[in-house]
Amino acid sequence: MSRLSNMLAAWCVLLLASLVSAQSSSSSSSSLFSDSRCNSNLCLSVIYSPSQKVYNMTMSTDGGGAPNGWYAVGTGNKMKGSNMMIGWVDTTGNVVMSQRTASGHDDPVTTITAAAATMHTKQSFSNSSGTVWAWSFPLSSSDSTPGSSTSFIWAANKNNNPASSTSAHLKQHSDYGTFSLDLTKPYTPSTSSSSSSSSGSNTNGTPLTPSTGANNQATSTRVLNTSNRLIIAHMIMMILGWFILVPAGILVGRYGRTLFTWFPVHRGLQIAAFVVVLIAFILIIVEVGRGGDGHFESTHAKAGLAIFILMIVQIVLGAVGHKTKRFNPSRIVHVVLGLGVTGAAIWNSSEGLSLWDWGAPRWAKWILWIWAAVLAVAYLAGLALLPRDLRQWRQSQPGAEEKQTYTGLEPYHSAGAYDTPADSSQLHLSEQHALKQQQPYQANAHPGWGAQPLQTNNAQYGYEPYAQPQRF
Ligand SMILES: *[C@@H]1O[C@H](CO)[C@@H](O)[C@H](O)[C@H]1NC(C)=O
Ligand SMILES: *[C@@H]1O[C@H](CO)[C@@H](O)[C@H](O)[C@H]1NC(C)=O
């Protein structure tokens, strides 16, 4: 009996020992994984424990000690159903954390379905050197298994300071996006190693994360993944469309109506621009769709959609205007709208650049604005041709023709009379040049584009080919 009981006891000890060793080996081998990302608004660092099924999250931003806007991160790649933590600083300089979720891309609510977060108030602080919000999110079964590309959403509005209540109302984010973290990277306790030692000093280790993290992580969002490829293609196409083709078409219209046969070139350029913009538009719709977020929600996207619609209106106006005479209201609207839409598109391009997680360098915007300024100067210089343009138009009016016939003045000289002595000779030369260039073209009378000349009184008035209203 005693042998049996001894054996049983030994068994139990063995069993217990193996259980304990299994326990300890599992807890020691259950390594931790971590990764972090920063952008110009905030940093997020996540430590993932597969054994505890928990994310230890740290969100940080520069500055603090006083209200400096709200910052948020959440699980997944879209607001809908995301387990979010929104942090801000109240008027007394204390950090506030509010766990929320949303049913879509709209106001986040405090009635959450996810497991409640644990706020790590000791690791959270706000002073002039920075603000840190620390907490842990227990993973729920609905959360996707963390992997090498785990998505987190982020959002911020630096100009909206909610009240100190965790259920305070927030204004919509001014910036938002997604981070992709690699949670297969082993966690190497460096600065945070001190945080396990004691609660008093550990807080000093954490504040370093925002600044050091910002430098390390700025580059890690610069990965040529599908998302960034689509964004870069969108950007190149939009720049080609709005900074090269459209302005070229506008300048051809501005200079061409007095100097050469401009319409086919103008039309060709603007159709090419439309095709390029259409491709860029489709590319970004695909990219936003991939993220699973709603379409046309940022200012950049809304403005882009409006600009795209106006571009179509602009094409229709141009086609209609072409059937009318020079200075017809539809043409004036076409010119004004065209300039306005181009200006809006240029502004929207720089908006788009600041939205990109890649972190486009500041000089990228400057290049865009400097180029836009060069184009504006070229256009304004072209406006100097407007008086002559108006003159040609007046001459082409029936009344003007009669008067000129009556006074017996040659149209050129009557035209020259309006010019200042300084530039009249120059204009005269270019007019003659324009006339020479257009005469052979006039001989085959509009090969296949636009309206035919209304009258065939070319023989009657020598200047007609150059002053014909239908051509401008
Ligand atoms: C998460 O943070 C809490 C509080 O600081 C700590 O007790 C816990 O061990 C941490 N877990 C991981 C996985 O880092
Ligand atoms: C801000 O607080 C952190 C953590 O308490 C501390 O390490 C840091 O020195 C403080 N900075 C300033 C400027 O007070």
Side-chain angles (χ1 to χ4, degrees):
M1 283 304 273
S2 65
R3 263 181 72 186
L4 194 66
S5 62
N6 279 348
M7 265 179 71
L8 266 175
W11 254 107
C12 284
V13 166
L14 254 169
L15 204 69
L16 264 170
S18 67
L19 269 176
V20 164
S21 76
Q23 184 80 28
S24 66
S25 76
S26 88
S27 71
S28 68
S29 70
S30 80
S31 36
L32 300 175
F33 302 97
S34 84
D35 196 10
S36 55
R37 282 283 184 283
C38 288
N39 60 29
S40 54
N41 292 281
L42 55 87
C43 288
L44 167 68
S45 105
V46 177
I47 302 171
Y48 165 53
S49 161
S51 62
Q52 292 176 291
K53 287 195 170 298
V54 67
Y55 281 149
N56 265 15
M57 318 261 291
T58 310
M59 176 171 75
S60 56
T61 189
D62 295 333
N68 61 347
W70 64 257
Y71 302 82
V73 294
T75 56
N77 58 14
K78 53 176 180 285
M79 272 183 85
K80 187 180 177 181
S82 175
N83 186 17
M84 298 184 281
M85 184 62 79
I86 304 177
W88 62 93
V89 179
D90 68 14
T91 45
T92 58
N94 292 321
V95 295
V96 181
M97 284 184 265
S98 174
Q99 188 183 12
R100 302 196 185 190
T101 191
S103 55
H105 200 110
D106 49 29
D107 266 354
V109 292
T110 45
T111 46
I112 47 155
T113 47
T118 310
M119 315 300 173
H120 300 163
T121 42
K122 275 183 181 148
Q123 282 91 340
S124 307
F125 70 90
S126 181
N127 60 28
S128 56
S129 59
T131 301
V132 170
W133 297 267
W135 71 95
S136 57
F137 270 158
L139 294 188
S140 47
S141 51
S142 61
D143 284 311
S144 55
T145 315
S148 60
S149 173
T150 309
S151 293
F152 292 87
I153 53 170
W154 65 268
N157 186 338
K158 291 181 176 177
N159 299 313
N160 174 227
N161 294 307
S164 54
S165 153
T166 53
S167 57
H169 178 258
L170 312 168
K171 282 216 184 103
Q172 203 190 1
H173 45 65
S174 51
D175 270 319
Y176 70 93
T178 56
F179 284 133
S180 176
L181 265 54
D182 180 359
L183 292 178
T184 59
K185 277 192 205 165
Y187 170 61
T188 42
S190 49
T191 48
S192 342
S193 62
S194 59
S195 66
S196 56
S197 55
S198 90
S199 54
S201 59
N202 61 18
T203 41
N204 294 338
T206 354
L208 296 171
T209 353
S211 45
T212 53
N215 297 334
N216 298 341
Q217 301 308 329
T219 47
S220 55
T221 54
R222 296 184 175 181
V223 180
L224 254 192
N225 49 20
T226 315
S227 175
N228 277 331
R229 281 205 183 94
L230 284 169
I231 292 171
I232 290 170
H234 164 80
M235 219 160 48
I236 291 175
M237 296 295 234
M238 283 298 187
I239 287 174
L240 175 64
W242 289 107
F243 286 78
I244 295 172
L245 293 174
V246 166
I250 290 177
L251 290 175
V252 162
R254 179 64 257 137
Y255 285 87
R257 56 185 80 241
T258 5
L259 299 179
F260 57 94
T261 307
W262 63 279
F263 182 73
V265 185
H266 174 80
R267 186 176 55 180
L269 281 168
Q270 302 302 41
I271 288 176
F274 178 73
V275 171
V276 163
V277 167
L278 176 68
I279 295 171
F281 185 73
I282 292 171
L283 285 174
I284 206 66
I285 285 180
V286 170
E287 157 57 17
V288 173
R290 285 178 69 251
D293 236 330
H295 290 285
F296 307 118
E297 273 156 354
S298 65
T299 314
H300 174 73
K302 281 181 188 144
L305 176 63
I307 290 167
F308 183 72
I309 292 169
L310 286 176
M311 199 181 189
I312 296 171
V313 171
Q314 188 60 2
I315 289 171
V316 173
L317 266 178
V320 169
H322 184 60
K323 302 246 186 296
T324 67
K325 295 193 176 185
R326 184 88 183 88
F327 294 112
N328 178 284
S330 73
R331 291 178 165 220
I332 295 170
V333 171
H334 179 75
V335 168
V336 172
L337 185 63
L339 292 174
V341 165
T342 308
I346 286 169
W347 162 81
N348 207 31
S349 306
S350 80
E351 276 290 286
L353 265 185
S354 35
L355 212 62
W356 193 22
D357 283 344
W358 188 281
R362 204 171 290 160
W363 50 258
K365 264 188 203 177
W366 294 349
I367 290 179
L368 292 185
W369 282 114
I370 289 168
W371 178 241
V374 168
L375 293 172
V377 166
Y379 185 83
L380 289 176
L383 279 183
L385 291 170
L386 201 54
R388 189 151 59 112
D389 204 11
L390 275 165
R391 203 162 59 236
Q392 289 174 359
W393 174 66
R394 277 200 212 98
Q395 282 170 6
S396 69
Q397 300 296 300
E401 284 163 13
E402 270 164 38
K403 197 171 147 202
Q404 276 147 11
T405 319
Y406 172 73
T407 55
L409 283 170
E410 257 208 47
Y412 269 139
H413 299 292
S414 73
Y418 290 94
D419 292 322
T420 60
D423 66 348
S424 69
S425 59
Q426 205 187 339
L427 283 180
H428 195 89
L429 272 176
S430 63
E431 274 166 4
Q432 281 181 333
H433 180 63
L435 182 59
K436 270 188 204 134
Q437 279 205 323
Q438 294 193 7
Q439 264 168 344
Y441 177 73
Q442 184 63 25
N444 15 316
H446 293 247
W449 61 270
Q452 288 286 316
L454 290 179
Q455 302 98 16
T456 47
N457 52 359
N458 297 356
Q460 206 177 339
Y461 301 105
Y463 64 89
E464 195 63 22
Y466 135 83
Q468 256 190 16
Q470 312 80 307
R471 324 197 71 236
F472 301 105

